[in-house]
Amino acid sequence: MASITSSLSSLLFLATSSLLLHSSFHVTKAQTYPPLVEGLSWDFYESSCPSLEYAIRNHLRQVFNDSIAVAAGLLRLHFHDCFVQGCDGSVLLEGSTSGPSEQDAPPNLSLQPAAFKTINDLRGIIESQCGRVVSCADITALAARDAVYLSGGPYYDVPLGRRDGLSFATRNQTLANIPSPTLNTSGLLTSFATKNLNAADLVALSGGHTIGIGHCPSFTNRLYPTQDPALDKTFANNLYEICPTSNSTNATMLDIRSPNNFDNKYFVDLLNRQGLFTSDQDLYTDSRTTEIVTSFAVDQNVFFEKFIYAITKMGQLSVLTGTEGEIRANCSVTNSDSLFLPRSVEKEEIGLAKW
């Protein structure tokens, strides 16, 4: 750590000079993407819904023009979906007579209502153009990609062909699978290892915190009863103003340097001891991940490349494909729970069972 600290000034200069507001970073599948799981492909909707990606990006441009904050909400939604019983759109399901949904579990209570609305709005737009051929899980994955890209991050291709799950996870399952922002690196590595994600994947995916906000209950453990010594003192003083008591519920930006741009400044924050959560700052403190954090702070393209690999890997966790699951008519309810499923849509679902 001492050798890293001694070169901090030159490192920060390099990190800052490497930043790009709008990225044209795009890499080939052979160089950067993990192997695809069976049932997913790069051109899954090429014939059944050729306008899919344009329709999603066009709508999201309008959404982000109104509120760029939704971009972070969509990216977080994809993460929270995939980490609990796989990328099956289960986080989109509302509670039912069978019990509370994943949305009702503590880790998901701060997921943006606007993000859920956006996914359902996209569901309607796509169905009006192509019929019911695209799953809510795939829409969520594509929306996360465009949230990154339209915020200035890298463009990457998304393997498609996911089907929607038929049920949501329990509260305990959700709690067990969503990593807490109070975890240290050891806890995070253990959690990510259960998903076959390694240290590089962990740090790269944590870089998603370059956009979005964090609420006081997620980081007041670093302020009360005593201040975390890993916190920069000026940064800590600012946090005390935002969260004046241990039970404050206010929010602040995850990345103080460029909160609305998807870039590598989150990692520059960590080098300056200005990471918001324990789970953020400890990535720089822990020797197992220090060098990865530093490499991302110095070279934004390195971060982008590793992020693409990690999110593509994460986006294939326990996916349903082929005839598994379903393609929901409404992303917030399963088809069996929908009371207003049109007969024409029911017929279409039967005819499109191969998807």
Side-chain angles (χ1 to χ4, degrees), residues 97-347:
T97 54
S98 63
S101 71
E102 293 172 31
Q103 294 180 28
D104 300 312
N108 292 334
L109 292 176
S110 59
L111 292 175
Q112 288 185 27
F116 289 108
K117 179 182 183 303
T118 298
I119 296 298
N120 255 330
D121 289 346
L122 288 169
R123 157 82 282 164
I125 291 168
I126 294 164
E127 185 161 334
S128 69
Q129 295 183 14
C130 303
R132 182 154 40 108
V133 298
V134 183
S135 69
C136 298
D138 273 348
I139 293 171
T140 302
L142 287 168
R145 186 274 308 279
D146 284 344
V148 169
Y149 179 59
L150 295 175
S151 298
Y155 177 89
Y156 57 94
D157 294 314
V158 178
L160 300 169
R162 300 166 189 79
R163 301 270 292 186
D164 295 323
L166 301 175
S167 63
F168 45 73
T170 65
R171 172 192 171 97
N172 287 341
Q173 289 170 328
T174 304
L175 284 167
N177 283 279
I178 299 294
S180 167
T182 62
L183 281 181
N184 61 18
T185 301
S186 291
L188 291 171
L189 288 170
T190 298
S191 175
F192 274 61
T194 65
K195 316 296 182 189
N196 196 32
L197 297 169
N198 59 29
D201 299 324
L202 163 62
V203 179
L205 290 171
S206 295
H209 285 177
T210 188
I211 55 175
I213 62 174
H215 293 82
C216 292
S218 296
F219 60 85
T220 48
N221 66 298
R222 306 187 69 198
L223 302 175
Y224 305 101
T226 58
Q227 184 180 311
D228 183 348
L231 271 173
D232 171 75
K233 291 191 180 302
T234 300
F235 181 56
N237 288 337
N238 292 335
L239 294 182
Y240 279 118
E241 291 184 9
I242 296 165
C243 310
T245 66
S246 60
N247 58 359
S248 299
T249 58
N250 297 327
T252 188
M253 298 298 179
L254 291 168
D255 173 5
I256 63 172
R257 284 173 168 76
S258 56
N260 295 324
N261 296 328
F262 194 99
D263 54 27
N264 69 338
K265 286 188 177 180
Y266 160 84
F267 298 103
V268 178
D269 294 339
L270 301 190
L271 267 57
N272 283 278
R273 298 191 297 131
Q274 295 166 334
L276 188 61
F277 302 147
T278 300
S279 61
D280 294 322
Q281 192 58 54
D282 202 56
L283 294 174
Y284 183 57
T285 304
D286 193 293
S287 61
R288 292 168 292 182
T289 47
T290 298
E291 289 186 8
I292 304 172
V293 169
T294 303
S295 69
F296 292 171
V298 172
D299 192 332
Q300 180 166 267
N301 283 345
V302 172
F303 163 48
F304 282 178
E305 183 176 349
K306 296 299 184 182
F307 177 82
I308 290 171
Y309 191 94
I311 198 167
T312 305
K313 189 175 174 182
M314 183 198 78
Q316 300 183 75
L317 291 174
S318 302
V319 293
L320 303 175
T321 61
T323 58
E324 298 174 307
E326 64 183 8
I327 299 176
R328 291 183 206 139
N330 181 332
C331 292
S332 62
V333 294
T334 62
N335 292 341
S336 62
D337 286 338
S338 177
L339 301 177
F340 304 103
L341 190 62
R343 183 176 299 276
S344 60
V345 174
E346 289 175 345
K347 291 180 179 179

